[in-house]
């Protein structure tokens, strides 16, 4: 069997302590999953069901590095997030089995063209042009759960040019990792290779060319990007 065109290159992430790569299937992102961020975006954290959007696998910027400022925007924002990487999936996964599906965790950034996302929100249109552009998902090497366990708490923060802009704790997630996996698996068939960006703490804001972003999740990892 041959392909009629060259097959797309498999997007991957490096793995801490291994020369092998993690192959990426789908990328699911949870919206407004920290109460303080939900409020800063005009939401009501007490009433909202979880909601999701997606990026494609090849939007990942593996390991960070240079992040090219994307076209058609003057308001690109950082969103520092815990990333969950699945080694198995399925439909209707019960919460008490959800953590068994996890390969490991990474430190990621859900980079966002906020101006375009805002226009789409206002018009009731999909968010892709705000969210799913090239290099919009920088992510660190994955740290296997077999090494670090399943972090239920730990500081998550982002510095821009040495100044702390976002600061939270994983224990502030409105929908925790097991709940998010269980809920998502009622809507989609989850699979090995899926990534879940679990939402961002308060303090999102714009970046400029030349900015150096340094994100850390206690017990998980770090991500560095330079806006170019
Ligand atoms: Mn986000």
């Amino acid at each position: 069997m041959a392909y009629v065109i060259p097959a797309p290159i498999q997007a991957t992430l490096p793995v801490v302590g291994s020369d092998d790569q993690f192959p990426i299937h789908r990328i699911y992102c949870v919206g407004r999953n920290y109460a303080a961020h939900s409020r800063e975006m005009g939401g009501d954290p007490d009433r909202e069901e979880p909601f999701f959007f997606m990026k494609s696998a090849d939007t990942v910027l593996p390991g960070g590095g240079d992040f090219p400022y994307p076209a058609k925007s003057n308001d690109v924002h950082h969103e520092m997030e815990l990333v969950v990487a699945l080694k198995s999936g399925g439909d209707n996964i019960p919460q008490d089995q959800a953590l068994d599906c996890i390969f490991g965790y990474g430190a990621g950034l859900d980079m966002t063209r906020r101006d375009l996302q805002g226009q789409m929100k206002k018009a009731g249109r999909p968010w892709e042009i705000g969210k799913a552009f090239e290099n919009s998902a920088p992510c660190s090497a994955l740290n296997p759960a077999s090494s670090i366990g399943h972090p239920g708490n730990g500081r998550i923060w982002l510095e821009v040019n040495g100044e702390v802009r976002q600061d939270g704790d994983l224990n502030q997630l409105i929908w925790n990792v097991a709940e998010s996996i269980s809920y998502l698996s009622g809507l989609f068939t989850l699979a090995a290779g899926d990534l879940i960006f679990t939402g961002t703490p308060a303090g999102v804001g714009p970046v400029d060319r030349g900015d150096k972003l340094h994100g850390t999740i206690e017990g998980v990892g770090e991500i560095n990007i330079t806006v170019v």
Side-chain angles (χ1 to χ4, degrees), residues 29-32 37 53 79-81 110 112 131 197-200:
C29 304
V30 189
R32 294 182 184 170
H37 172 63
F53 58 91
E79 296 191 359
M80 179 67 201
E81 310 203 359
D110 166 18
T112 301
K131 287 289 194 178
F197 279 63
T198 56
T200 196

Side-chain angles (χ1 to χ4, degrees), residues 2-17:
Y3 294 114
V4 295
I5 57 167
I9 295 165
Q10 173 66 57
T12 63
L13 277 170
V15 174
V16 175

Side-chain angles (χ1 to χ4, degrees), residues 204-216:
V204 299
V207 299
D208 288 317
R209 285 180 183 80
D211 282 350
K212 291 188 183 308
L213 279 61
H214 175 58
T216 311

